[in-house]
Amino acid sequence: PLLYQVATASLSPESISAPIRAALTKAKNCQIVLDEVVDIDVERRRVVVSEGSVPYDYLVLAVGARHDYFGNDKWEPLAPGLKTLEDATEIRRRMLLAFESAEHEADEATRHAALTFAVVGAGPTGVELAGAIKSIASNTLPREYRNIDTRTARVILLEGGKRVLEGFPERLSKRAHKDLEALGVEVRLNSLVTSVDDGGVKVGEEYIPAANVFWAAGVKGSPLLRSLDTPLDRAGRAIVEPDLSVPGHPEVFVLGDAASFIAEGAERPLPGVAQVAMQMGSYAAKVIKEEVEAGSSTTRSKPFTYWDKGSMAIIGKNRAVAAIGSYRFSGFFAWLLWAGVHIAFLVGFRNRTRVLFNWLVAWLLNSHDSRLIIGDNRLHVREPRGPGFERHLPPAVETQPSVS
C-alpha cells in the first residue's frame, strides 16, 4: 500500500518491506527458495521452477497481479505501473529526471512536456500518486532548482469513468476530487486514453505532450494462473470456490489479487486490496492447519467470509478520505486514521519507527528525502542550457609575430 510513497521519494524501499528470511526467522519449519516458478503441474502436484520442480501436498498461490493495458502491451515501457518495488524506483527515477531535464532545457515546449505528468486511472493508486507528485513539486523542490519553478509542474489525472475513487461512497469521491483540484491536480473524467508514445498521451482526439505517463488504470492476473487449467475471469484471475480453492483441486488455494472471489449475494469480485489478501491468507492457513492436524482432508463446511473493515485513500498532506462501516471521514482526521493503520501493519518494529519518524519530519518540513536516482541517469535535453552545457569552442590558433 505504500509503494507510491517510494515512487514519489517520500520513503525508501527498505522502509516499507522486509526480507522474507528475516520475517520468517522464528518459523523453523519454513524453507525459502529463490527461483522462478514457470509452471504448475496440478495432476502430479508439482511446482515447476527454472532449476527443477518441488512436490506439494497443499499449494498456496499468492502471485499477485500486474497492470492491464487492455490489449496495448506496447504501452508498458512508456507508461509504467506500480505493483512492485522495482516499479516504484523506476517511477521515482523518471519523475526526478524530469525535473533535472527541465532545469537544463532551453526549448520551452520540451521543458513544459518534461514538467507534465499524466497519471492514468483514478483509483486509490492513481489518486495517491497524482497528489504526491504535485505535493513534492509544489512544496519540496522549488527551493532546490535555479532555472525552473517546479510549482508550475502540471499533473493530469485521467479517469475513464464518471468519478474518482469509484469504489468509495459518492460523497467521499466528491471530496477527494475537490482536494485534488485544491492541490493543483487537473482531474479529467470520462477521459479514455487512446494512445501512448514517448512524447505524451492521446485522450480521444487530444494529444497531451507529457514526458512522463504513469499507469494505474487496471490489473490482470499473473500468466502463471493459466497453467492451473481452471476458469479465469476477464482480468485473468482464477475463479475460486467458496473455500478459495480451484475447482476440482481442493489442495490448491489461490489468494489475494490472483483470485476472483464473488461473495454470496455480491455482484462483483472482492477488490484487490491488502485487507482482502490478509484475510484470505489467514483463512487458508487455518484450513490447512486443521486438515494436517486431523491427518486427512475433511469437508470444509465453513466457506471464506470477508469482513470489510473499510476503505481509505490519501490525497496529500492532511487530506484523506475514509469509509469505515457506516461512518465517513475526510480531512485531517481521515489522514491520521490512514497513517495509523498503515504504520500498524508494516512488517517489523524498525520499519514502523522509521516510517513514523520520516512522516513526522516530512509533515513538519515538507521534505521528501529519499530522492535517489537509481539506474540510467541520462538527461533528455533538446536544447541544453546552463552550467555544464556550454558549447565547446575550438582551441585558439596561435599566430607567430611577423618578422620585418
Side-chain angles (χ1 to χ4, degrees), residues 3 90 299 392:
L3 279 175
E90 173 62 14
T299 302
H392 292 289

Side-chain angles (χ1 to χ4, degrees), residues 4 13 65 82 90 99 162 172 196 203 223 228 234 349 377 397:
Y4 89 93
L82 187 57
E90 173 62 14
F99 292 108
K162 297 179 180 179
L172 293 183
V196 179
V203 181
L228 295 176
R234 293 178 61 183
F349 175 77
N377 61 358
V397 179

